[in-house]
Amino acid sequence: MLQLRSLLLYVTAFVCGWVMMGLEILGGRVLSPDFGSGVFVWGSVIGVFLLSLSTGYLIGGWASSRWPLVAVLAGVILAAALSIVPVALWYPEISGWFAALEWNERYGALAAAAALFFLPSTLLGMVSPYCIRLLTTSVEKSGASAGTLYAISTVGSFLGCIHTAFYLIVSLGIRHCLFAGAGVLGALGLVLMVVSVVGSRTKKAAVADSGAGSLAQWGDLPELIKK
C-alpha cells in the first residue's frame, strides 16, 4: 500500500506540473485578443505564475507540516480544478473588463492575468511541497525524494507546455483546453480521496486486529496460569 501511495504521489506531481504549464501557455492566448501577444502580456503571465507558485510553495509547506494527509492534498487539487471552471466560462468577459478600464497596457495585462490565474496556480503550487512531505519517511531520504519529485514535476511541465502549444490549442481551442485541465485535476483529486479513505479503513482494520489479538492473549492468560 505504501509503494502504491508513493507511485500515486509521483503521478500527482507529474499531472499537476503538466496542467500548470498548460495553463501558463493558455494564459498568453487568453489575453491576446484584448492586450496583444507582446512582451508585456507574456511578462505579465510569467510573472503572475512565478508569484503564485512561490505563494503556493509557502502555503503548501506550512499546511503539509500541520496536516500531512492525502485527503487534504486531494482537497487542494479538487479546489484547483474548481477554480479553473470560472476561468473557462468567463475568461473573455474578465479580460475584456480589464481592457475596458484603459489602464496602461503593462498593468492592465498584469491585473487580468492575476485575476484569471493567480488562484488556480497558487493551489497547484501547493501540490509539490505536500507530495514531498507525504513521501518523506526519514531525514536521510528527504533530499532524494524532493529531487525525484521536482524532476518528475518538471518533466510534466515540459510535456504540458509542448503538448498544449503544439496540439491542444489547435485541436480543442482555449475553452475546451481549460475544461480538460479542470477535468483531469478533478479526476486526480477523486482518486486521491478514494485512496485516502481506503488507506484509513485499512489502517483502522489493522489496529483493530492487533487489539483483538492482544485481548485474545490476555484472555488465555488464566488457562496458562492453571497449566
Side-chain angles (χ1 to χ4, degrees):
M1 186 68 183
L2 185 60
Q3 291 181 346
L4 176 62
R5 193 181 81 158
S6 297
L7 177 61
L8 185 57
L9 290 172
Y10 285 124
V11 170
T12 296
F14 178 85
V15 171
C16 290
W18 184 304
V19 175
M20 167 70 79
M21 188 52 67
L23 284 178
E24 189 166 350
I25 295 298
L26 290 169
R29 296 300 300 269
V30 164
L31 298 181
S32 62
D34 298 302
F35 298 98
S37 56
V39 66
F40 298 145
V41 167
W42 282 108
S44 297
V45 171
I46 294 171
V48 166
F49 272 81
L50 288 174
L51 180 61
S52 60
L53 276 176
S54 64
T55 304
Y57 292 155
L58 182 64
I59 298 173
W62 175 84
S64 64
S65 65
R66 286 157 177 78
W67 306 288
L69 302 169
V70 175
V72 178
L73 174 62
V76 169
I77 294 173
L78 288 172
L82 290 175
S83 70
I84 295 174
V85 174
V87 179
L89 291 173
W90 299 302
Y91 71 85
E93 290 80 6
I94 296 171
S95 178
W97 185 82
F98 281 99
L101 294 176
E102 297 183 354
W103 290 354
N104 182 286
E105 182 182 1
R106 298 175 177 86
Y107 305 116
L110 181 62
L116 288 163
F117 297 108
F118 185 81
L119 179 58
S121 49
T122 296
L123 291 167
L124 288 172
M126 295 175 62
V127 171
S128 289
Y130 235 105
C131 288
I132 291 172
R133 174 63 182 85
L134 293 171
L135 284 168
T136 301
T137 56
S138 65
V139 176
E140 292 78 8
K141 295 180 180 180
S142 60
S145 297
T148 302
L149 187 131
Y150 276 116
I152 291 173
S153 176
T154 304
V155 170
S157 295
F158 166 76
L159 293 175
C161 174
I162 298 300
H163 190 236
T164 302
F166 289 8
Y167 302 106
L168 285 183
I169 293 177
V170 176
S171 60
L172 296 180
I174 295 173
R175 177 167 279 116
H176 287 95
C177 285
L178 290 167
F179 278 126
V184 169
L185 290 177
L188 177 61
L190 290 176
V191 169
L192 286 169
M193 193 65 73
V194 170
V195 169
S196 173
V197 171
V198 172
S200 177
R201 290 180 178 177
T202 302
K203 185 176 180 180
K204 289 179 180 179
V207 171
D209 290 342
S210 176
S214 299
L215 289 173
Q217 291 178 358
W218 282 104
D220 293 338
L221 185 58
E223 297 296 329
L224 293 173
I225 293 174
K226 291 178 182 179
K227 294 179 180 179

